[in-house]
């Protein structure tokens, strides 16, 4: 399913709390409640309306997102899709940590996602010591060109986040947002899709047929 990014006043999008594509109910009548002293010294309830502020309530989980002007300020994960559930746990942890800081520090999020890519290369059978060499080896093993470009995009932008480079993150949070999508695209192609094919193969192809296929492939290698 295509990820529908949260946007101000959009009737439905993927919720930043539950990750479900769901209906959003909007309100711009946000009031702050407080108590104030009257001239006679008594306390009385009072309120004021927050201008240019909005709340969206998710129909699936009932949690809210808060917006100032056109930017989501709560939750901190903002406009980022949830991690692919098939990612290894340590990589999901890096992904989630990056989600929590992306609106505060896009550079920090990009650096964490670069680390996630390095760990992903290890998960795919590489050494993990030099991410550039790992990607090169994966290309030699038949890595699709689009996946190479996605991996190198996260690598290069992540490097620029921690070293002086030509990429300015100050006004380009969308660069960091895009990297989260790349992580999920990479993991879907290299982890989820092979997993689904293998599960189907084992569950629905008779063992006798699988053995015959294995024997055929052994002969072709000789």
């Amino acid at each position: 399913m295509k990820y529908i990014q949260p946007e101000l006043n959009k009737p439905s999008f993927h919720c930043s709390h539950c990750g479900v594509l769901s209906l959003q109910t909007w309100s711009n009548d946000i009031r702050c409640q407080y108590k104030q002293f009257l001239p006679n010294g008594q306390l009385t309830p009072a309120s004021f309306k927050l201008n240019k502020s909005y709340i969206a309530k998710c129909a699936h989980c009932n949690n809210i997102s808060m917006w100032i002007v056109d930017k989501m300020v709560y939750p901190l994960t903002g406009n980022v899709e949830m991690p692919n559930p098939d990612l290894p746990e340590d990589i999901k942890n890096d992904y989630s940590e990056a989600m929590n800081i992306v609106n505060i520090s896009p550079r920090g999020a990009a650096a964490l996602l670069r680390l996630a890519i390095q760990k992903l290369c290890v998960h795919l059978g590489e050494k993990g010591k030099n991410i550039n060499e790992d990607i090169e080896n994966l290309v030699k093993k038949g890595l699709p060109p689009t996946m190479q470009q996605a991996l190198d995009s996260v690598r290069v932008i992540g490097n620029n986040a921690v070293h002086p480079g030509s990429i300015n993150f100050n006004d380009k949070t969308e660069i960091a947002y895009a990297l989260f999508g790349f992580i999920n695209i990479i993991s879907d192609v290299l982890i989820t899709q092979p997993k689904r094919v293998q599960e189907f193969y084992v569950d629905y192809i008779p063992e006798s047929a699988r053995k015959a296929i294995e024997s055929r492939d052994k002969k072709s290698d000789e």
Side-chain angles (χ1 to χ4, degrees):
M1 179 186 294
K2 180 182 178 181
Y3 174 68
I4 306 300
Q5 188 178 46
E7 289 182 14
L8 181 65
N9 289 325
K10 182 175 282 187
S12 61
F13 52 71
H14 278 91
C15 174
S16 298
H17 290 282
C18 64
V20 173
L21 176 59
S22 58
L23 182 69
Q24 303 291 324
T25 304
W26 288 91
S27 172
N28 64 351
D29 187 16
I30 305 173
R31 295 183 177 273
C32 293
Q33 306 289 333
Y34 67 101
K35 290 185 177 181
Q36 66 177 359
F37 283 100
L38 296 176
N40 62 7
Q42 290 184 332
L43 279 174
T44 183
S47 68
F48 63 90
K49 183 177 178 179
L50 289 177
N51 294 325
K52 298 181 180 179
S53 300
Y54 309 86
I55 284 181
K57 185 178 181 181
C58 173
H60 182 262
C61 68
N62 291 323
N63 282 311
I64 65 167
S65 57
M66 296 186 65
W67 302 69
I68 302 295
V69 187
D70 61 352
K71 183 178 181 180
M72 185 191 296
V73 296
Y74 174 82
L76 287 176
T77 50
N79 304 4
V80 178
E81 58 190 284
M82 296 294 184
N84 183 339
D86 290 326
L87 281 168
E89 283 301 317
D90 60 334
I91 300 177
K92 279 195 284 189
N93 290 339
D94 292 334
Y95 187 106
S96 297
E97 185 178 348
M99 286 176 65
N100 289 331
I101 68 169
V102 65
N103 284 334
I104 301 172
S105 175
R107 290 176 64 248
L112 280 167
L113 293 177
R114 182 201 176 280
L115 175 62
I117 282 294
Q118 189 165 7
K119 292 180 179 179
L120 184 57
C121 287
V122 174
H123 180 75
L124 296 172
E126 299 305 319
K127 296 179 180 179
K129 294 181 180 180
N130 185 311
I131 189 172
N132 191 44
E133 291 179 1
D134 288 346
I135 295 173
E136 181 184 3
N137 289 334
L138 289 171
V139 169
K140 292 178 180 177
K141 295 176 182 177
L143 183 74
T146 52
M147 293 302 98
Q148 168 265 308
Q149 292 170 6
L151 285 167
D152 277 321
S153 293
V154 181
R155 175 183 67 84
V156 172
I157 293 174
N159 285 342
N160 275 268
V162 294
H163 301 295
S166 58
I167 300 175
N168 180 10
F169 288 88
N170 293 334
D171 299 317
K172 295 183 179 179
T173 307
E174 66 272 13
I175 293 178
Y177 285 158
L179 299 186
F180 290 95
F182 286 171
I183 296 283
N184 278 341
I185 290 171
I186 293 164
S187 58
D188 181 68
V189 172
L190 301 182
I191 297 177
T192 301
Q193 292 182 23
K195 176 184 175 183
R196 288 176 181 169
V197 171
Q198 186 177 39
E199 288 174 348
F200 182 92
Y201 188 76
V202 171
D203 290 342
Y204 294 102
I205 304 303
E207 184 178 1
S208 58
R210 283 188 274 122
K211 287 183 177 180
I213 293 170
E214 291 172 5
S215 177
R216 176 203 66 192
D217 292 343
K218 284 181 180 178
K219 289 180 180 178
S220 63
D221 291 336
E222 292 176 355

XYZ file of all heavy atoms in Angstrom, residues 24-71:
392
model
N -9.413 11.251 9.225
C -8.976 12.233 10.222
C -10.060 13.302 10.390
O -10.556 13.847 9.413
C -7.672 12.897 9.775
C -6.531 11.927 9.502
C -6.003 11.259 10.745
O -5.943 11.877 11.820
N -5.610 9.998 10.618
N -10.427 13.555 11.650
C -11.392 14.602 11.960
C -10.647 15.839 12.438
O -9.899 15.774 13.418
C -12.382 14.139 13.047
O -13.031 12.940 12.625
C -13.433 15.215 13.311
N -10.871 16.966 11.757
C -10.090 18.174 12.013
C -10.868 19.190 12.845
O -12.088 19.302 12.741
C -9.683 18.835 10.692
C -8.635 18.075 9.949
C -8.821 17.106 9.009
C -7.226 18.221 10.089
N -7.622 16.632 8.558
C -6.607 17.302 9.200
C -6.407 19.037 10.878
C -5.237 17.176 9.074
C -5.042 18.921 10.766
C -4.458 18.007 9.874
N -10.112 19.935 13.660
C -10.682 21.041 14.419
C -9.642 22.148 14.539
O -8.449 21.867 14.709
C -11.104 20.578 15.822
O -11.493 21.694 16.614
N -10.098 23.390 14.436
C -9.190 24.518 14.658
C -9.606 25.346 15.877
O -9.132 26.454 16.084
C -9.116 25.417 13.418
C -10.451 26.081 13.107
O -11.471 25.754 13.695
N -10.426 27.012 12.168
N -10.539 24.786 16.664
C -10.983 25.460 17.883
C -10.220 24.893 19.075
O -10.721 24.075 19.834
C -12.493 25.280 18.061
C -13.042 26.110 19.218
O -12.332 27.041 19.669
O -14.172 25.828 19.675
N -8.959 25.291 19.200
C -8.087 24.798 20.257
C -7.958 25.885 21.317
O -7.506 26.999 21.030
C -6.702 24.425 19.705
C -6.851 23.428 18.550
C -5.827 23.851 20.806
C -5.556 23.144 17.837
N -8.347 25.549 22.528
C -8.334 26.538 23.596
C -7.449 26.080 24.751
O -7.439 24.911 25.120
C -9.751 26.792 24.109
C -10.641 27.419 23.042
C -12.025 27.757 23.549
N -12.789 28.417 22.498
C -12.767 29.725 22.286
N -12.017 30.501 23.062
N -13.483 30.260 21.310
N -6.721 26.998 25.298
C -5.881 26.751 26.481
C -6.639 27.214 27.723
O -7.091 28.366 27.790
C -4.562 27.511 26.372
S -3.505 26.915 25.053
N -6.782 26.317 28.680
C -7.495 26.618 29.918
C -6.480 26.986 31.009
O -5.443 26.354 31.139
C -8.310 25.407 30.361
C -9.264 24.848 29.315
C -10.446 25.753 29.055
O -10.853 26.526 29.926
N -11.000 25.669 27.848
N -6.810 28.005 31.760
C -5.956 28.404 32.883
C -6.804 29.132 33.919
O -8.009 29.350 33.719
C -4.811 29.296 32.398
C -5.235 30.646 31.887
C -5.110 31.787 32.684
C -5.758 30.800 30.587
C -5.513 33.033 32.215
C -6.145 32.040 30.120
C -6.021 33.157 30.932
O -6.410 34.392 30.482
N -6.200 29.481 35.025
C -6.898 30.240 36.068
C -6.207 31.585 36.241
O -4.986 31.663 36.262
C -6.909 29.468 37.385
C -7.799 28.235 37.360
C -7.883 27.577 38.729
C -8.843 26.389 38.697
N -8.964 25.748 40.041
N -7.033 32.625 36.403
C -6.468 33.959 36.576
C -7.042 34.616 37.835
O -8.144 34.282 38.286
C -6.777 34.831 35.370
C -8.251 35.156 35.183
C -8.482 36.091 34.020
O -7.557 36.515 33.353
N -9.736 36.423 33.749
N -6.263 35.521 38.398
C -6.703 36.252 39.575
C -7.547 37.450 39.170
O -7.179 38.222 38.265
C -5.503 36.732 40.398
C -4.863 35.655 41.221
C -3.702 35.028 40.784
C -5.417 35.264 42.433
C -3.106 34.038 41.536
C -4.829 34.273 43.193
C -3.673 33.664 42.753
N -8.686 37.611 39.827
C -9.516 38.793 39.650
C -8.991 39.927 40.537
O -8.186 39.694 41.446
C -10.964 38.466 40.015
C -11.662 37.424 39.136
C -13.046 37.130 39.672
C -11.731 37.901 37.692
N -9.410 41.165 40.284
C -8.956 42.278 41.126
C -9.210 42.078 42.606
O -8.473 42.601 43.455
C -9.762 43.473 40.583
C -9.994 43.125 39.153
C -10.216 41.645 39.142
N -10.273 41.289 42.921
C -10.565 41.039 44.337
C -9.742 39.899 44.925
O -9.938 39.513 46.077
C -12.052 40.779 44.530
C -12.529 39.528 43.785
O -11.723 38.783 43.235
N -13.839 39.322 43.743
N -8.842 39.339 44.147
C -7.969 38.272 44.639
C -8.483 36.870 44.409
O -7.780 35.892 44.689
N -9.701 36.716 43.896
C -10.263 35.394 43.658
C -9.718 34.804 42.349
O -9.392 35.527 41.403
C -11.782 35.462 43.584
C -12.458 35.747 44.912
C -13.970 35.714 44.794
O -14.527 35.993 43.733
N -14.642 35.379 45.890
N -9.627 33.450 42.329
C -9.235 32.739 41.105
C -10.467 32.392 40.298
O -11.481 31.945 40.842
C -8.473 31.459 41.456
C -6.984 31.575 41.792
C -6.452 30.237 42.257
C -6.201 32.068 40.584
N -10.373 32.558 38.991
C -11.494 32.216 38.118
C -10.977 31.539 36.858
O -9.895 31.872 36.362
C -12.291 33.480 37.749
O -13.426 33.095 36.949
C -11.438 34.461 36.954
N -11.714 30.552 36.318
C -11.288 29.895 35.078
C -11.284 30.868 33.901
O -12.126 31.760 33.818
C -12.347 28.803 34.878
C -12.971 28.615 36.210
C -12.941 29.948 36.885
N -10.326 30.701 33.020
C -10.232 31.533 31.822
C -9.639 30.698 30.701
O -9.116 29.597 30.931
C -9.391 32.770 32.092
N -9.737 31.177 29.489
C -9.182 30.435 28.345
C -8.858 31.416 27.222
O -9.324 32.556 27.206
C -10.167 29.381 27.846
O -11.305 29.996 27.269
N -8.031 30.932 26.296
C -7.782 31.696 25.084
C -7.599 30.716 23.926
O -7.192 29.564 24.122
C -6.558 32.617 25.206
C -5.251 31.892 25.413
C -4.480 31.500 24.321
C -4.788 31.609 26.693
C -3.279 30.840 24.497
C -3.579 30.946 26.873
C -2.821 30.571 25.784
N -7.919 31.160 22.729
C -7.838 30.317 21.550
C -6.452 30.436 20.923
O -5.894 31.521 20.818
C -8.893 30.720 20.529
C -8.917 29.843 19.282
C -10.019 30.243 18.331
C -9.997 29.376 17.079
N -11.084 29.730 16.135
N -5.902 29.276 20.529
C -4.621 29.261 19.830
C -4.853 29.558 18.354
O -5.597 28.838 17.678
C -3.942 27.894 19.975
C -3.391 27.541 21.357
C -2.831 26.121 21.337
C -2.312 28.513 21.781
N -4.232 30.601 17.860
C -4.393 30.968 16.461
C -3.527 30.096 15.558
O -2.434 29.667 15.936
C -4.031 32.442 16.252
C -5.001 33.370 16.952
O -6.200 33.086 17.028
N -4.497 34.480 17.471
N -4.035 29.840 14.365
C -3.324 29.066 13.343
C -2.877 27.703 13.868
O -1.814 27.203 13.523
C -2.119 29.844 12.808
C -2.496 31.151 12.131
C -1.275 31.886 11.582
C -1.656 33.175 10.902
N -0.479 33.909 10.380
N -3.707 27.110 14.715
C -3.411 25.799 15.299
C -4.553 24.841 14.975
O -5.722 25.247 14.927
C -3.233 25.898 16.813
O -2.173 26.765 17.132
N -4.199 23.569 14.781
C -5.188 22.583 14.350
C -4.916 21.248 15.040
O -3.785 20.948 15.426
C -5.131 22.385 12.829
C -5.179 23.672 12.051
C -4.005 24.393 11.798
C -6.378 24.179 11.576
C -4.032 25.580 11.093
C -6.424 25.376 10.870
C -5.240 26.071 10.633
O -5.270 27.249 9.941
N -5.996 20.470 15.174
C -5.889 19.116 15.716
C -6.609 18.163 14.768
O -7.706 18.458 14.288
C -6.498 19.017 17.126
C -5.561 19.630 18.165
C -6.791 17.566 17.486
C -6.087 19.559 19.583
N -5.970 17.030 14.498
C -6.605 15.968 13.719
C -6.724 14.732 14.605
O -5.755 14.340 15.261
C -5.790 15.649 12.470
N -7.893 14.127 14.638
C -8.124 12.922 15.443
C -8.280 11.719 14.529
O -9.085 11.732 13.591
C -9.372 13.084 16.301
C -9.614 11.916 17.246
C -10.844 12.167 18.111
C -11.073 11.013 19.078
N -12.294 11.238 19.908
N -7.478 10.688 14.791
C -7.495 9.474 13.979
C -8.716 8.625 14.307
O -8.988 8.337 15.468
C -6.207 8.679 14.230
S -6.180 7.054 13.438
N -9.458 8.231 13.277
C -10.658 7.420 13.474
C -10.326 5.996 13.905
O -11.180 5.297 14.443
C -11.487 7.391 12.196
N -9.086 5.559 13.682
C -8.712 4.178 14.025
C -8.242 4.050 15.465
O -8.702 3.181 16.207
C -7.628 3.670 13.074
C -7.228 2.256 13.334
N -6.112 1.914 14.075
C -7.799 1.073 12.949
C -6.018 0.616 14.141
N -7.014 0.070 13.463
N -7.318 4.920 15.897
C -6.746 4.778 17.249
C -7.197 5.876 18.212
O -6.876 5.825 19.409
C -5.216 4.749 17.186
S -4.453 6.316 16.691
N -7.912 6.884 17.701
C -8.418 8.009 18.497
C -7.331 8.923 19.052
O -7.625 9.802 19.874
C -9.308 7.522 19.656
C -10.624 6.947 19.161
O -11.201 7.450 18.196
N -11.091 5.889 19.801
N -6.094 8.736 18.637
C -5.031 9.658 19.043
C -5.059 10.889 18.147
O -5.614 10.860 17.048
C -3.670 8.975 18.960
C -3.422 8.054 20.136
O -3.619 8.432 21.286
N -2.988 6.823 19.863
N -4.432 11.950 18.623
C -4.466 13.207 17.884
C -3.082 13.590 17.385
O -2.059 13.179 17.934
C -5.036 14.356 18.737
C -4.108 14.645 19.932
C -6.451 14.056 19.193
C -4.417 15.942 20.654
N -3.083 14.395 16.325
C -1.870 15.084 15.884
C -2.143 16.580 15.999
O -3.268 17.026 15.767
C -1.495 14.704 14.450
O -2.558 14.987 13.554
N -1.120 17.332 16.377
C -1.266 18.775 16.539
C -0.427 19.501 15.501
O 0.693 19.076 15.208
C -0.852 19.211 17.951
C -1.722 18.647 19.047
S -1.306 19.320 20.682
C -1.756 21.049 20.441
N -0.978 20.568 14.954
C -0.353 21.301 13.860
C -0.300 22.788 14.185
O -1.264 23.354 14.712
C -1.151 21.112 12.567
C -1.299 19.673 12.151
C -2.028 18.702 12.781
C -0.706 19.043 11.014
N -1.926 17.512 12.108
C -1.120 17.694 11.014
C 0.117 19.503 9.988
C -0.744 16.789 10.035
C 0.502 18.610 9.009
C 0.075 17.267 9.037
N 0.824 23.418 13.893
C 0.958 24.873 13.968
C 1.195 25.374 12.554
O 2.164 24.965 11.900
C 2.111 25.308 14.897
C 1.913 24.749 16.301
C 2.219 26.823 14.922
C 0.695 25.273 17.031
N 0.315 26.268 12.088
C 0.295 26.710 10.690
C 0.106 25.452 9.827
O -0.947 24.835 9.862
C 1.555 27.505 10.325
C 1.413 28.101 8.931
C 1.783 28.633 11.333
N 1.142 25.002 9.094
C 0.979 23.800 8.273
C 1.957 22.695 8.656
O 2.162 21.748 7.901
C 1.139 24.146 6.788
C 2.518 24.725 6.470
O 3.277 25.002 7.417
O 2.826 24.898 5.275
N 2.557 22.805 9.852
C 3.555 21.829 10.280
C 3.065 21.027 11.477
O 2.563 21.593 12.453
C 4.868 22.536 10.639
C 5.990 21.582 11.029
C 7.273 22.341 11.321
C 8.406 21.390 11.692
N 9.660 22.121 11.989
